[in-house]
């Protein structure tokens, strides 16, 4: 993964949580289980500061970490959106039956569920 150059870090440091926690061995490939114990490593190395505490808080919650991880991808929306629209149109055309009227999902609810994070 690479950091999206247009994405700013969190807090006043303007660094990503991964950059702040790198001295403690944290990378995007650090497991969630290992992430829970990073505070001990930070304390042992005398690296626990309000800034690293905030970075650790960002990464120890699954929902917040997913949002941070999303910013690691450098995406060219101009090139990717037409391809995504074609894929969606193809998938919808392959759908055998339209949804029944009583089982329709409101698009607003679906979109909110996809983008809502505890931030």
């Amino acid at each position: 993964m690479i950091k999206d150059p247009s994405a700013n870090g969190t807090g006043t440091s303007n660094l990503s949580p991964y950059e702040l926690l790198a001295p403690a061995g944290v990378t995007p490939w650090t497991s969630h289980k290992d992430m829970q114990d990073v505070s001990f490593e930070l304390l042992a190395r005398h690296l626990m500061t309000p800034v690293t505490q905030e970075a650790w808080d960002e990464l120890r919650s699954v929902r917040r970490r997913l949002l941070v991880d999303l910013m690691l991808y450098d995406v060219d929306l101009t090139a990717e959106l037409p391809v995504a629209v074609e894929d969606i149109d193809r998938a919808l055309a392959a759908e055998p039956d339209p949804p029944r009227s009583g089982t329709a999902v409101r698009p607003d609810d679906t979109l909110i569920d996809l983008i809502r994070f505890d931030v």
Side-chain angles (χ1 to χ4, degrees), residues 12-40:
T12 57
S13 68
N14 220 21
L15 295 174
S16 79
Y18 289 112
E19 291 170 312
L20 291 167
L21 298 177
V26 174
T27 70
W29 296 273
T30 301
S31 71
H32 181 69
K33 181 181 182 291
D34 290 341
M35 188 63 70
Q36 302 307 307
D37 296 333
V38 165
S39 64
F40 301 120

Side-chain angles (χ1 to χ4, degrees), residues 14-87:
N14 220 21
L15 295 174
S16 79
Y18 289 112
E19 291 170 312
L20 291 167
L21 298 177
V26 174
T27 70
W29 296 273
T30 301
S31 71
H32 181 69
K33 181 181 182 291
D34 290 341
M35 188 63 70
Q36 302 307 307
D37 296 333
V38 165
S39 64
F40 301 120
E41 186 67 25
L42 291 169
L43 289 169
R45 293 183 180 202
H46 304 287
L47 297 172
M48 185 62 88
T49 65
V51 173
T52 56
Q53 171 72 43
E54 182 181 348
W56 179 59
D57 287 341
E58 288 290 314
L59 296 178
R60 67 185 175 138
S61 161
V62 173
R63 287 176 171 248
R64 294 177 116 184
R65 184 173 181 182
L66 286 173
L67 185 59
V68 170
D69 288 353
L70 179 66
M71 297 302 157
L72 293 176
Y73 293 94
D74 188 13
V75 178
D76 181 4
L77 290 178
T78 307
E80 297 295 329
L81 280 178
V83 175
V85 169
E86 288 175 15
D87 289 344

